[in-house]
Amino acid sequence: MALQKRREAISWALYDWANSAYATTIMAGFFPLFFKQYWSAGASVTESTFRLGIANSVASLVIVILAPLLGAIADRCGARKRFLLTFATLGILMTALLPWVAQGDWWLAVVLYVLATIGFSGSISFSDSLLVFVADKPEYERVSALGYALGYLGGGLLFAVNVWMTLSPQTFGLTDAAEAVKLSFFTVAIWWALFTLPLARYVTETDGSGIGARAAVVAGWSQLRETFREIRALRNIFLFLIAYWFYIDGVDTIVRMAVDYGLSLGFDSNSLIVALLITQGVGFPAALAFGWLGSRIGARSGIYIAIAVYIVVVIWAAQMEHVKEFYLLAVVIGLVQGGIQSLSRSLYAHIIPADKSAEFFGFYNMLGKFAAVLGPVMVGWASAVSGSPRLSMLTLLILFVVGALVLRKVDVDDGAQYAPRR
């Protein structure tokens, strides 16, 4: 890989390092915990779970609606990076405002969280679309895996400091754990902004047509409609997206609801945070290993391995009784979480046309987030109706099984005819 291309690839991968602080500290870690115990103080366990599920679903629904159209517009005017930075700025600013939400103001916390998550998810859609510009085709698996590996490492490092702050607030001159959590939200915003700068400085993309904003909207909408009409010709892309829609629903729901699930089982909050740290620590080398594995046996085979592990995880989680089992599950999830995400991204990059990468990654993230519209609501609803969080966890089995079955129908070699030429 040439020096310039390597610098672009590393700068692009560092955006995973940047935004993973939000995914780890906010989405998976402190927000569900703080939301249940501080912002939803006095509400029942099932009620707070339902509120959190709705918040995640609303944020995902917005991305479902916007991502493909904005992707098509970005393709036409060469604005993938500009859209990325716009969404990132929204996420950073909303995250920075979370510390100011008072106890009991769960509705305001939800509003800021939804907007921050829209910024986070929207920026990732455009970051994914830049993969075809920062790496040559034979390097997709390794570069994609590098991004996820750095994400686990960076997100884990900041999360470790944030956990230390909450366990020993006096060490940092703070009065209590609640103040430490609020400061942690602010450190995420700073981290996210700081490590977005290399991408803003060094990553380049192929210029679009140079048309104005209004013309780009019209052209983008036209391109989007054309892609819908062509979907039969792009059968392998369509099948892959459906498969991804199902299995990534299971993955994302586990990420977003794991802490809430552990609290519902009566596990200590500090133990759950330690489990998340374990996942981050294991995830860094595991993501790199999956990148190597994908380049050897193929991305789809690597995804199958990860899905099989997730099926075991769901069955195990529905029966676990002790917090030590939660720790073991954290290790197992860490082994495959980054792998299934990175290999899905690289496999998709192989089968899409480069000149429509933002639009097609818009569809990719649209279906992934649309799945996340249903997943958390499904878990929250099942928990509320049955009164059993264990039963709600078992509903995720359907998603992984259906995803694997549809993925079998994807002809990766045939789909390569749509891949970018380099």
Side-chain angles (χ1 to χ4, degrees):
M1 186 181 291
L3 180 61
Q4 180 179 352
K5 184 69 74 173
R6 184 180 300 275
R7 182 173 65 180
E8 288 188 344
I10 293 174
S11 299
W12 173 84
L14 277 173
Y15 186 67
D16 277 344
W17 171 289
N19 66 57
S20 289
Y22 181 84
T24 305
T25 295
I26 307 293
M27 291 179 66
F30 288 161
F31 187 86
L33 184 65
F34 212 56
F35 185 76
K36 184 178 287 288
Q37 298 182 342
Y38 185 82
W39 287 317
S40 290
S44 68
V45 170
T46 54
E47 184 180 2
S48 61
T49 296
F50 181 72
R51 290 172 180 173
L52 181 61
I54 292 296
N56 281 314
S57 296
V58 169
S60 298
L61 184 60
V62 173
I63 296 301
V64 165
I65 296 170
L66 291 181
L69 177 59
L70 292 180
I73 295 170
D75 285 331
R76 296 306 295 261
C77 58
R80 300 168 186 85
K81 189 169 80 171
R82 278 180 283 165
F83 274 94
L84 185 160
L85 295 176
T86 299
F87 275 95
T89 299
L90 171 66
I92 290 166
L93 291 177
M94 294 304 101
T95 300
L97 291 176
L98 279 173
W100 306 103
V101 180
Q103 184 175 10
D105 286 346
W106 66 268
W107 60 271
L108 181 56
V110 163
V111 169
L112 294 179
Y113 175 72
V114 166
L115 290 174
T117 303
I118 289 170
F120 168 78
S121 300
S123 69
I124 288 177
S125 178
F126 292 103
S127 173
D128 289 345
S129 73
L130 290 171
L131 175 60
V132 299
F133 296 97
V134 302
D136 295 322
K137 187 177 176 182
E139 297 293 325
Y140 284 172
E141 279 78 21
R142 292 182 184 274
V143 173
S144 180
L146 175 64
Y148 275 104
L150 288 179
Y152 277 104
L153 182 60
L157 286 174
L158 182 61
F159 189 42
V161 174
N162 293 152
V163 170
W164 182 17
M165 290 165 56
T166 61
L167 295 179
S168 182
Q170 290 75 24
T171 302
F172 296 86
L174 304 172
T175 57
D176 54 25
E179 188 174 350
V181 170
K182 292 181 178 182
L183 180 59
S184 295
F185 291 154
F186 191 72
T187 64
V188 168
I190 297 299
W191 182 280
W192 190 353
L194 180 64
F195 291 106
T196 300
L197 295 179
L199 182 146
R201 174 68 178 85
Y202 295 114
V203 172
T204 59
E205 60 178 305
T206 302
D207 291 335
S209 59
I211 59 178
R214 181 176 179 180
V217 171
V218 174
W221 179 249
S222 176
Q223 177 176 311
L224 186 61
R225 287 185 298 173
E226 177 186 349
T227 300
F228 272 119
R229 287 196 300 266
E230 292 176 347
I231 203 69
R232 282 191 175 184
L234 305 176
R235 180 176 180 273
N236 282 301
I237 295 175
F238 177 72
L239 286 174
F240 172 79
L241 287 173
I242 295 300
Y244 177 76
W245 177 5
F246 278 99
Y247 70 71
I248 210 65
D249 182 352
V251 174
D252 285 348
T253 302
I254 288 173
V255 170
R256 297 187 185 200
M257 306 298 286
V259 168
D260 184 270
Y261 179 67
L263 289 171
S264 298
L265 294 183
F267 296 158
D268 178 70
S269 60
N270 289 337
S271 298
L272 300 178
I273 295 301
V274 171
L276 288 178
L277 280 173
I278 292 172
T279 298
Q280 293 299 119
V282 174
F284 169 62
L288 291 176
F290 259 91
W292 175 86
L293 183 66
S295 66
R296 293 296 187 275
I297 68 172
R300 182 167 58 177
S301 296
I303 293 171
Y304 282 145
I305 293 172
I307 289 175
V309 171
Y310 269 109
I311 288 173
V312 174
V313 163
V314 170
I315 295 173
W316 186 0
Q319 303 176 64
M320 68 178 173
E321 298 287 346
H322 307 289
V323 72
K324 65 180 181 180
E325 295 177 87
F326 202 90
Y327 292 151
L328 291 174
L329 283 175
V331 173
V332 175
I333 290 173
L335 290 173
V336 295
Q337 184 171 290
I340 197 170
Q341 293 169 324
S342 68
L343 291 182
S344 296
R345 180 166 64 184
S346 62
L347 176 58
Y348 191 61
H350 275 292
I351 63 176
I352 63 172
D355 60 346
K356 295 184 178 181
S357 66
E359 179 189 353
F360 274 87
F361 268 107
F363 280 104
Y364 176 84
N365 284 280
M366 177 191 75
L367 290 179
K369 300 310 174 187
F370 186 65
V373 169
L374 300 177
V377 168
M378 180 174 68
V379 170
W381 178 82
S383 178
V385 170
S386 68
S388 171
R390 297 180 187 278
L391 179 61
S392 66
M393 181 61 63
L394 286 175
T395 61
L396 299 180
L397 286 174
I398 299 171
L399 305 176
F400 289 114
V401 172
V402 173
L405 292 175
V406 176
L407 187 61
R408 288 184 60 193
K409 298 180 179 296
V410 177
D411 187 336
V412 177
D413 293 331
D414 182 61
Q417 64 181 295
Y418 303 111
R421 304 290 188 236
R422 287 191 174 272

